[in-house]
Amino acid sequence: MVGSEGCDTQAVGRRRFYLACIYGLSTIMGMALAVPAAVYLLFPPRSRKEDQWVEAAELSQLEVGVPEEVVFRHNRVDGWKISSEKTSAWVLKKSDTEVVAFAPQCTHLGCAYRWEESKKNFLCPCHTSNFDIEGKVIDGPAPRPLDRYLVRIEGKKLFLGPIQKSPEA
Amino acid sequence: MRRILDWIDHRTGLETAVRNFLYEDIPASSGFHQVFGSVALFLFLVQAFTGAMLAFNYAPSPGEAYNSVKYIMTELTGGRLIRGLHHWGSSMMIVVVVLHMTQVFLWGAYKKPREATWMVGCVLMMMTLGFGLTGYLLPWDNRAYWGTVVTTQIAGLAPGAGPYVVRLMGADGGVGVVTFSRFYALHTLLLPLAIVLLIAFHIYLVRKHGVAPASGDTLPKKKFFPEQVFKDTVAVFLAFVILFVMALTLRAPLERLADPTDTTYIPRPDWYFLFLFQTLKFFEGPLEVVGAVVLPNLAIVALFLVPFLDRGRMKRVIERKGAAVVVAVAAIGWTGLTAAAIATTPAALVSGETEGPAAWRHLSPEELAGIGYFRKENCAACHALGEGGTKVGPDLTGAAIKRDARWMIAHFKSPQALVPGTSMPSIHLPDAQLNALAAFILKLNARNAQDLREAPQPAVEGAMVYQQNRCGACHQVNGAGVKLGPPLNGLSQRHDRAWVEGHFADPQKFSPGTVMPPYRFSPRDLERVASYLMSL
């Protein structure tokens, strides 16, 4: 029957419209929730003030040519918390105007390494990575030289800034 | 694709279940008036999602909670939107749940055999209010704290059960950490689990009895999908757009950190509880329990018993005049009470402002100059002024209670001598400036801290110029100083700015016979001190 066929096409059209609206509107709402949530979870917080300079040591108390572990306090911004915590650096005074400060973690898996005075190199006890006095890898699994702090000397005081990652060897 | 779906359906029956759910028969009379249940369910899902998102960056303990909410609002991209959705979503959910109940009530859809569906719905509404009540405390600002103090006090009025309810809320010794943890546990663990189970039961009951048909609806049934689903989706979308725009444009409130010693704070509940708050005002003394406990509970019981109070035959909605009258009376009563509560709310509260305008204007010039030295020495790097946070040094809003000016000045000069092991460096300033700094810190309290923190720098610098030039040796400002010359408050009403500036350079020219010596300020200092004096 012709009449009922006309009715059917009308019904099919209406059904198609309903489906388009249901899926379309649901998708828009899903995106409107998912995108802000992804941004919220993935974007870094806005004001990070971690690149502050901290006074770490008196230059006169460092011996030239011998790496020394210097412990100092710095403010760590951790989410909604700013905490003052102890941290350290292996500092090598080359002269009164040139100082190198290594970050205290091995570049392999973040263990604390130490200076072996007898061998004149840095040794990481975890997987026996060895670094020379300039922080370069001698042997072991470490993928790159020791990371360094930015260093500034003001008068007789040593200031340390943020840690700079060393490039992969 | 078809084969994968068939495989899954054969193993799990999921597709068949969804199909059965969607292709349920519903009465031909179903339409847009029945969308509110779906909208409420959708809003609940939005609350669950945004709530979980907030929890990703929220520290559930007082103090920390406030800082983390602030962090979400100010530091995280999209944080304001997520909290806005959660905050306004809670209000919206209450609106929609009430609309849903009103629709069911008007149409008489609670009648036999749907009494249980109605009663479970009542419990769901109570739970929605419970979410609002417990979530209110979680930002731990003044609004949260004081609102909850009132809530627990009201709960304590309940005859017999009062003390136990208060103990259950962890509030016997006042609202504190235990209350906070219990509200948090209720809000994020117990209530969500309970409400999910009850929602499932509610929907099961709706399915079991079918959507209530209109009276005399004898037309052949239609399918739930896609026509009614389309109507539900359109309604859901509308609600979502309203919510999204609200979250984008209206800032979810976050006041100052909760301060239990703040005696000036006037707590107000969230808007949907305002009518109860107003009802309470009609009952005084021994009758208070009537307004606080008896009436609300009677109302709840009456709501539960609606299907048994109205046992008449199913009628068409237009013929249900009694129901319409009940709804109208309830709506007028609610609106009137809420409006009265808003009208009697002090203006300062409406704007969210809790501190009198510009507390810095009430400081003496010396105290105001102290703010300048505080800023100059960058004291805020280590010390908070009531804004919370975990800085290295102590928050100074509480320091004044414990120390006098002499101790402070000695401490500024040699911190190690008074507090062994402190990491505070000495402050190298002249005595007069250390005095000013101490005077400012003595003046600090939790109420004025925010305002003083934000005192405008030009005024502060003007006060520093004033203090360094010892103007107070002859003049008074805010009652501080010597009354040799004229007091300087209200100077702007007596002279214009050009007069004041000219007068500094050559007082004799403007006030013949005056003993005031001329002052040759740098243009910047002149500008600052003149602005400061003109603002008094």
Side-chain angles (χ1 to χ4, degrees):
Chain A
M1 285 197 297
V2 179
S4 109
E5 252 174 38
C7 242
D8 275 356
T9 44
Q10 210 181 348
V12 166
R14 196 184 302 138
R15 190 184 155 87
R16 202 170 284 157
F17 171 72
Y18 287 156
L19 292 181
C21 284
I22 291 167
Y23 295 133
L25 295 180
S26 304
T27 309
I28 292 172
M29 289 187 284
M31 297 302 280
L33 286 174
V35 172
V39 166
Y40 165 81
L41 292 179
L42 294 173
F43 276 37
R46 261 171 229 144
S47 61
R48 307 268 71 179
K49 288 182 194 131
E50 279 184 284
D51 51 358
Q52 280 171 354
W53 290 83
V54 189
E55 183 187 331
E58 295 273 344
L59 273 186
S60 55
Q61 285 168 0
L62 298 170
E63 210 179 312
V64 176
V66 182
E68 200 171 326
E69 187 172 23
V70 171
V71 178
F72 58 99
R73 295 195 81 87
H74 80 141
N75 282 344
R76 176 165 170 222
V77 181
D78 185 7
W80 49 89
K81 253 183 146 160
I82 302 169
S83 41
S84 167
E85 51 178 37
K86 271 189 182 170
T87 183
S88 68
W90 281 93
V91 177
L92 170 65
K93 179 159 99 170
K94 295 183 170 173
S95 69
D96 270 345
T97 53
E98 200 191 352
V99 172
V100 177
F102 298 111
Q105 283 103 24
C106 175
T107 51
H108 178 218
L109 292 171
C111 290
Y113 59 84
R114 60 172 186 270
W115 174 249
E116 291 283 310
E117 187 56 44
S118 55
K119 293 185 192 153
K120 300 277 179 212
N121 63 13
F122 292 106
L123 167 72
C124 176
C126 289
H127 304 91
T128 60
S129 288
N130 276 293
F131 305 88
D132 71 7
I133 196 161
E134 290 289 333
K136 289 200 198 74
V137 182
I138 302 171
D139 53 29
R144 59 194 158 86
L146 293 172
D147 298 332
R148 296 177 178 207
Y149 285 96
L150 285 183
V151 171
R152 203 170 70 200
I153 295 166
E154 269 177 30
K156 294 200 178 319
K157 286 179 175 142
L158 171 68
F159 287 82
L160 298 185
I163 294 173
Q164 302 291 300
K165 273 198 151 193
S166 63
E168 298 272 336
Chain B
M1 187 68 191
R2 188 66 254 162
R3 279 182 53 200
I4 297 172
L5 284 180
D6 282 345
W7 188 91
I8 292 173
D9 190 44
H10 197 227
R11 274 29 170 221
T12 62
L14 272 179
E15 206 195 349
T16 316
V18 171
R19 213 165 263 281
N20 286 344
F21 188 84
L22 288 178
Y23 289 100
E24 193 220 11
D25 286 328
I26 56 169
S29 57
S30 310
F32 268 112
H33 58 280
Q34 275 141 333
V35 295
F36 297 110
S38 300
V39 179
L41 178 61
F42 170 78
L43 286 175
F44 169 72
L45 294 176
V46 171
Q47 289 304 97
F49 178 71
T50 52
M53 284 297 116
L54 288 175
F56 270 74
N57 283 301
Y58 175 75
S61 80
E64 289 272 293
Y66 178 79
N67 288 331
S68 57
V69 173
K70 202 168 188 182
Y71 168 78
I72 289 171
M73 297 281 281
T74 56
E75 302 251 322
L76 293 178
T77 316
R80 244 189 78 176
L81 176 65
I82 300 276
R83 178 158 183 256
L85 287 172
H86 198 71
H87 177 87
W88 302 114
S90 73
S91 284
M92 196 147 173
M93 195 162 160
I94 285 162
V95 172
V96 171
V97 165
V98 169
L99 285 176
H100 182 44
M101 287 189 95
T102 309
Q103 184 270 319
V104 171
F105 184 80
L106 278 177
W107 265 255
Y110 47 73
K111 288 181 187 237
K112 190 184 167 189
R114 298 186 177 82
E115 296 96 325
T117 322
W118 169 266
M119 288 160 82
V120 171
C122 287
V123 179
L124 283 173
M125 184 205 62
M126 307 280 297
M127 284 186 161
T128 311
L129 293 175
F131 269 111
L133 201 76
T134 50
Y136 199 73
L137 181 64
L138 300 186
W140 199 255
D141 56 354
N142 246 349
R143 178 176 171 271
Y145 176 83
W146 289 102
T148 305
V149 166
V150 176
T151 308
T152 53
Q153 299 275 335
I154 290 175
L157 290 176
Y164 301 100
V165 178
V166 172
R167 193 165 302 163
L168 208 59
M169 288 174 157
D172 340 19
V175 172
V177 288
V178 180
T179 323
F180 182 90
S181 287
R182 300 211 170 167
F183 275 43
Y184 178 73
L186 279 172
H187 192 80
T188 62
L189 294 172
L190 211 55
L191 279 174
L193 180 66
I195 205 169
V196 164
L197 292 176
L198 267 188
I199 288 174
F201 187 46
H202 191 67
I203 294 176
Y204 158 79
L205 287 174
V206 171
R207 289 283 143 154
K208 178 177 164 62
H209 299 301
V211 173
S215 172
D217 177 8
T218 50
L219 291 166
K221 300 227 171 193
K222 56 185 181 183
K223 297 289 180 197
F224 177 57
F225 186 86
E227 193 187 323
Q228 186 63 30
V229 173
F230 160 77
K231 286 174 180 164
D232 286 2
T233 310
V234 169
V236 162
F237 187 73
L238 259 175
F240 183 72
V241 168
I242 295 170
L243 173 59
F244 204 83
V245 169
M246 280 177 88
L248 276 180
T249 54
L250 300 176
R251 198 185 153 83
L254 183 64
E255 294 181 0
R256 284 179 298 108
L257 178 68
D259 177 10
T261 64
D262 188 346
T263 49
T264 59
Y265 194 80
I266 308 166
R268 282 290 183 280
D270 226 345
W271 64 268
Y272 41 85
F273 287 124
L274 276 178
F275 75 103
L276 281 176
F277 162 86
Q278 188 68 17
T279 310
L280 205 52
K281 290 187 186 170
F282 299 127
F283 300 90
E284 278 173 9
L287 284 178
E288 199 175 22
V289 65
V290 176
V293 183
V294 178
L295 275 186
N297 278 302
L298 276 180
I300 292 165
V301 170
L303 208 56
F304 261 93
L305 296 181
V306 157
F308 307 102
L309 298 173
D310 167 30
R311 302 175 65 106
R313 255 186 341 99
M314 203 67 177
K315 280 195 247 168
R316 283 174 46 210
V317 61
I318 330 168
E319 289 162 10
R320 287 178 50 82
K321 300 228 166 61
V325 168
V326 171
V327 168
V329 167
I332 291 168
W334 182 88
T335 312
L337 287 170
T338 305
I342 292 172
T344 54
T345 301
L349 270 173
V350 174
S351 65
E353 190 73 47
T354 51
E355 176 65 30
W360 64 268
R361 283 178 198 277
H362 304 301
L363 293 187
S364 74
E366 188 186 34
E367 289 154 358
L368 189 56
I371 300 183
Y373 302 120
F374 186 86
R375 290 179 182 165
K376 196 171 141 200
E377 293 296 311
N378 201 13
C379 304
C382 298
H383 292 287
L385 293 181
E387 74 268 42
T390 43
K391 293 194 177 173
V392 182
D395 187 325
L396 295 178
T397 31
I401 311 158
K402 285 178 265 158
R403 304 293 183 188
D404 60 13
R406 234 178 57 201
W407 185 94
M408 271 193 235
I409 291 168
H411 180 58
F412 293 150
K413 288 180 177 171
S414 172
Q416 287 282 354
L418 285 126
V419 184
T422 178
S423 54
M424 171 158 156
S426 312
I427 303 174
H428 302 290
L429 287 177
D431 278 3
Q433 304 186 0
L434 290 180
N435 265 323
L437 188 53
F440 157 59
I441 292 169
L442 281 171
K443 207 62 189 197
L444 263 179
N445 59 46
R447 253 164 292 138
N448 64 15
Q450 177 174 11
D451 191 48
L452 296 186
R453 223 163 48 225
E454 290 161 6
Q457 184 63 11
V460 170
E461 283 178 22
M464 286 163 82
V465 175
Y466 184 98
Q467 193 248 350
Q468 280 159 12
N469 288 282
R470 302 168 51 78
C471 303
C474 295
H475 292 282
Q476 271 197 331
V477 167
N478 293 334
V482 179
K483 248 187 186 163
L484 199 62
L488 297 175
N489 284 89
L491 183 66
S492 59
Q493 281 144 39
R494 303 198 291 271
H495 300 290
D496 63 15
R497 194 185 171 106
W499 188 95
V500 172
E501 289 188 359
H503 187 272
F504 273 122
D506 188 0
Q508 289 295 340
K509 188 175 146 199
F510 291 84
S511 319
T514 180
V515 294
M516 176 157 159
Y519 286 86
R520 300 264 166 222
F521 292 124
S522 70
R524 183 185 160 84
D525 279 1
L526 181 62
E527 196 264 315
R528 293 294 144 106
V529 74
S531 303
Y532 169 58
L533 292 176
M534 295 307 280
S535 76
L536 290 169

